[in-house]
Structures are given as C-alpha cells and as structure tokens.
Amino acid sequence: MTPDPPGTAPRPWTLVAELTYRCPLRCPYCSNPLDWAKRRDGLTTGDWCRVIGEAEAMGVVGLNLTGGEPLLRDDLETIAAEARRHALYTTLITSGLPLTRDRLAALAQAGIDAVQLSIQDVTAEGCDRIGGTRSFDHKLAVAEWVKELGLPLTLNMVLHRANIGHVGEAVALAERLGAERLELANTQYLGWALPNRAALLPSRASVAAARDIAAAARERLRGRIDVLFVLPDYMSDRPRPCMDGWGQRFIVVTADGLALPCHAAHSLPGIVWDRVTDRPLAEIWRDGAGFNAYRGEGWMREPCRSCDRRTKDHGGCRCQAHALTGDATATDPACGLSPDHALVVAAREAASGQAPEFIFRAGRAPVVP
C-alpha cells in the first residue's frame, strides 16, 4: 500500500463489517465479545448499504464481510451487491456453515470477489472438536464449490496448542483444495482466547517447528500458494503493528453499530464509541474520540516514546496491554522492553503444563482469570 503523504490524515483502506455475532461454531479462540449474546444485530440492510457507500467515499477499497457468521444474514446478497456497486473488493470470511452451492453462486453473482474459509484442524475429529460442532466435511465441499465458481480461495487455520503440530498437513490440504492463500495465524489472546489461554498457548519449540515448516512451504509454493505464518505475540519479544496502527488503515463496524479501529477496542474502558447510526463514518474516523485515543505517538510513554521501532509497531496492541495490565497506555507486555513482560514470560512457561479443557464460546460469558 502507498503510504500517506507527510502531514496528511491517515486514509482507511479496509472496512471490516461484522454483520452478526451469531455463529454455528463455538470456537474457544473467537474474537467476538465475551458478552456477544447480549448484543443484537443492530444495523438494518439500509444501514449497512449506507455505511458501505460512506466507506467508499472515504477511499476504502476493500470490504471484509465477517461475523460471527455472515451467512446467517438473510440480506447478505443485497449487501454484497451494494459493495459491487461501489467497486469494493469484497471478501466473504466464513465458516462455510450454513452454505449451499446455489447460495454461493448467488453471492458470487451479487458481489463476492473472494472467499476466506476457516478450518479448525486438518481432520474431521480435530476440526469438529475445536469448532464445537460437525463441520469439516461440509467445509471441504464449500472449498470445492469456491473453486468451481472461479473464486479465489484463502484457507485460514488459527493455530494453537491443539493443532500447531499439523501445519504440514494444513499445507497439503491447501494444495489439494487449490487454495491461492493459506493463512496460519497464531491465536491472538483477546476475546474468548484469553480465558482459554492455558488451553491454547503452544510451546516455543512447537511454534518454532511450525514456523520452519511454513517457511519451507512458502518457498516451495511461491507463485502457486501464498503461505502466511503469523508468529504469536507471546513468542516474538517484539509486538506486531496491530491493524497497521491504531486508526491508520482499518475501520471495524460491529454487529451492533459501533465504529472501531480494531475488533477488540470495545473492551477498552473510558472511551465512548460512536455508532454509525448516529454519525457519518468519515466524521467518526476523523474526529471520533476512540479513533484519536491512540492514533499517532502523543499517547506513548517510555519505553515506547523513545524507541526506534515506534513508527513500525506503534507500541503494540492497546487491547492486549489493557487485558494484561489494566492500562491501555502501557507498553504491550509482548514487547521484551515492557516492564510488564514477565506476565507474558510466565504465560509461556505455563504452556508446558497440562492443558485444561476448552471454554467454548457460549451464550454466557466466562470468568476471565
């Protein structure tokens, strides 16, 4: 992406539309709010169509239709058609449940340009256990339909202790299904993943082995399949640039109408988030208190303020800093320079112990330790 000219306001590139929090899966690493069952689908078809138009007028070029499970919206075809009318490149991010070939064909006709299909593991037993419901065989059928209809396919597997040893098999599955992209994204320990951290966090040795397998596959498949391996924050000792920086490139609009700079920002206290039903999207992006709270460098304190990486990692994840320390202005504890880094080190050391049972995504929020 071309950087913004010096002195200009950041321009959003991608709108992430969380169309609903409803989902047939119960994944223990779900990024949706712990109290998702109390949050309703607050935006009408007209609201979503208006938001899409406002986003395109701001310079947004990509739209991710996600959830929960976006297929549970009966108006998904109408929303996709509106995105095509505004020439947005639209990706359906889905579990594949519930989906028929006919509906996928209708969605492709309406405006879906690509599909990102989640798998929870590489076998029916593993996938169905992690997702909390039978789904693996149907996901394979969905992948075949995607290719038959000529849509680009991304296969996404969130990595954690239960499946990180299966990266080689995930590569083979992506090859067999004809995927153009394989995303091996290690779990981000927010949302439902935080109370499940002891069950999900892999060992450093298993992460290193998985990374080596992914790197070899990336070289072997270069030009055929784009293999992406996202190192877990807890193992890197330097934080990733979350969402390319707070309020820099992404706008997330939630199922209940909040406009956020990232999926988990609603968890931060002391910020009144704007709803797209109350203010125009461009106004929220430019003037909203939430988007400006951690935009730029003015909020930073040491060691971030004088760190030469501050323009690259932007101080790390604000939501992770708050989740681990109770202070969203703290240096992300994933960083080895953070005074709170011992919290991450302790969690890594605990990953070698016995894994507890999953707390599955359910209607009742779990108690976060």
Side-chain angles (χ1 to χ4, degrees), residues 243-254:
M243 305 296 283
D244 289 337
W246 184 279
Q248 298 295 310
R249 288 290 178 246
F250 288 84
I251 304 175
V252 178
V253 176
T254 69

Side-chain angles (χ1 to χ4, degrees), residues 117 138-148 153 155 177:
L117 179 67
H138 187 73
K139 288 173 182 286
L140 298 186
V142 169
E144 292 180 2
W145 300 337
V146 171
K147 298 307 298 179
E148 287 171 4
L153 172 65
L155 207 61
L177 295 175

